[in-house]
Amino acid sequence: NILEKRLKKKGIVVTGAIAVGVDCPKKDYKLSSHFDTKTLTFNTFKKASSKDKLYKNKSFKEFIPKFKIISNLSNIINFIKKEKFPVIFKPRDDRGARDVYLIKNEKELKNLMFLKKNTIIKKKFIIQKYIYGKQLSVECLLINKSQYLKLISIRNYDSFKFLHPHI
């Protein structure tokens, strides 16, 4: 590995890894394993490898709005009958706001189904109850169980209303 050789040549010891992107947990786990940093275990990687796995984790249950993995159209209909609008549709495996939709009513649902029904069902999207309020984004860097950086930001989506139903 070229990177490893350059680091050794300069006397740099890797004690942690940070990955940015859609497959963060996978990249972090591979880097952690390769450099033997023990910053991300296989068990933690598996729990964070997709939204549905993370949401099903009992540690987060009280913080996660009600959700359902979509495998057919009846999952959507039944969820909305029980939970009502507004709802969020989002991919199980992506990070950030790619392909995330806020659906407020029947008309918006019909439009979304017209445009994205096959993708939503094929990729087993998640439908989730929308919770009103401020959305917080929390980032934290841990090295050897010590907290080095904690960033809490409030996301302001008001300026993005023109993108609706995209979030």
Side-chain angles (χ1 to χ4, degrees):
N1 183 319
I2 295 171
L3 176 61
E4 190 172 10
K5 288 177 183 177
R6 287 183 181 173
L7 293 172
K8 280 184 180 179
K9 188 176 181 180
K10 294 182 178 189
I12 297 172
V13 177
V14 177
T15 59
I18 299 173
V20 178
V22 171
D23 57 349
C24 288
K26 186 176 184 179
K27 286 180 184 175
D28 271 344
Y29 175 69
K30 284 184 175 185
L31 289 168
S32 179
S33 296
H34 182 79
F35 289 106
D36 196 30
T37 63
K38 297 176 179 51
T39 54
L40 183 65
T41 66
F42 182 75
N43 190 33
T44 304
F45 156 66
K46 291 306 282 180
K47 286 179 183 177
S49 63
S50 68
K51 288 182 182 99
D52 58 315
K53 289 178 184 172
L54 187 64
Y55 291 176
K56 289 177 183 176
N57 186 321
K58 292 176 186 172
S59 302
F60 302 114
K61 191 172 184 173
E62 66 183 286
F63 304 107
I64 305 297
K66 292 181 182 178
F67 74 97
K68 175 81 177 156
I69 298 166
I70 301 167
S71 57
N72 56 52
L73 196 55
S74 66
N75 292 146
I76 297 168
I77 294 165
N78 292 335
F79 187 88
I80 293 172
K81 277 183 184 176
K82 185 176 179 182
E83 299 301 327
K84 313 289 182 233
F85 288 105
V87 294
I88 299 284
F89 285 83
K90 60 175 103 173
R92 291 172 38 221
D93 296 329
D94 286 346
R95 306 293 186 270
R98 281 183 221 110
D99 280 330
V100 178
Y101 305 95
L102 169 60
I103 303 301
K104 297 178 181 179
N105 55 49
E106 191 76 31
K107 182 180 176 185
E108 290 179 3
L109 178 63
K110 285 179 182 177
N111 288 338
L112 181 65
M113 290 300 106
F114 178 76
L115 296 171
K116 295 282 188 172
K117 177 182 163 189
N118 292 336
T119 302
I120 287 170
I121 292 172
K122 183 180 176 184
K123 291 189 175 184
K124 295 189 177 180
F125 269 46
I126 289 173
I127 185 171
Q128 190 171 37
K129 182 67 182 161
Y130 177 77
I131 303 296
Y132 290 97
K134 294 179 180 177
Q135 181 177 340
L136 302 177
S137 180
V138 179
E139 311 296 334
C140 189
L141 176 62
L142 300 172
I143 299 176
N144 297 327
K145 298 183 182 178
S146 297
Q147 187 173 319
Y148 284 92
L149 171 69
K150 188 176 190 180
L151 174 69
I152 301 174
S153 59
I154 297 173
R155 294 187 177 181
N156 180 358
Y157 288 114
D158 289 339
S159 61
F160 296 108
K161 287 182 180 177
F162 70 95
L163 294 174
H164 182 79
H166 298 273
I167 289 185

